[in-house]
Amino acid sequence: MEPQLPTIKNVFVNETDDDDRPALSSHALAALKEFLEEQRQSPANHETAENGEGTLEPESEVDLVTEDWRLSQFWYDPETARTLSQEVLSLCSHSNCKVACIACPTLYAYLKKIDPNISVQLLEYDKRFEQYGSDFTFYDYNQPKDLPLELKHTYQVVIADPPYLSKECLEKVTQTISFLAQPQESHLLLLTGEVQRDRAAELLGLRACNFWPRHSSKLGNEFRVFTNYDPGERLGGWEQQ
């Protein structure tokens, strides 16, 4: 069964409305049409390169499938993807570290490009990502714990980017995070809208970092990264309370 689509990331959910079908504002629809037109007119650049330290340089260094806005897919821009990847790698201090990426295929692709040996599992609804083989697990947030038992309490690092800005979606993704995360010593990163700040704190005990993620499609929403650990100077550090 396909998941119910309450809204995409740059459209808020009206949780008091009986009709919860997805709807775009006229402004959001115009922005979306402009972006899709730019995609059609821009030739793809698939060249890759590395600098002396092994950090990826050019803007199109990682190949990704085309965003499907109907699934609320909006890929991170290269700077955001590199910054998040370096953060995850800094948390993986030993070779047995396992990482779970919930609905963030951009991050998965960059992690594997920078370090092909890192153990990363991508949980994603879009079956186009079955191309990643055993690294792919089908995931529908409406069934948050309908996952293989071998994934339970396995991951030291869990990154989640819930597809929708609704209370229901975040609550269900929180259940998935709890299912995947190794008890006690796990690092959690949540990428979602600023409007979810209070819920992120309430559900997962997370705080906002000063680093502001961005998307290639230039979403209008203020997007944030929240963590359950103090990143120090990385990610700009925690915001002062």
Side-chain angles (χ1 to χ4, degrees), residues 171-199:
E171 287 175 343
K172 289 182 176 179
V173 170
T174 295
Q175 294 179 49
T176 305
I177 292 172
S178 299
F179 179 92
L180 296 170
Q182 194 174 77
Q184 299 177 336
E185 296 185 8
S186 57
H187 296 91
L188 309 179
L189 295 91
L190 175 69
L191 292 108
T192 189
E194 167 69 21
V195 296
Q196 298 280 47
R197 175 191 288 265
D198 291 342
R199 289 173 183 158

Side-chain angles (χ1 to χ4, degrees), residues 7-57:
T7 185
I8 61 174
K9 287 180 182 175
N10 60 338
V11 180
F12 296 106
V13 172
N14 183 353
E15 296 180 10
T16 62
D17 194 343
D18 291 335
D19 182 6
D20 55 0
R21 292 173 298 176
L24 293 176
S25 69
S26 58
H27 176 75
L29 185 58
L32 177 61
K33 288 181 177 178
E34 180 182 355
F35 167 68
L36 293 175
E37 183 62 27
E38 289 176 355
Q39 276 198 325
R40 284 192 292 268
Q41 294 179 1
S42 299
N45 178 6
H46 301 300
E47 295 180 359
T48 64
E50 295 184 358
N51 66 12
E53 298 177 352
T55 303
L56 299 169
E57 289 271 335

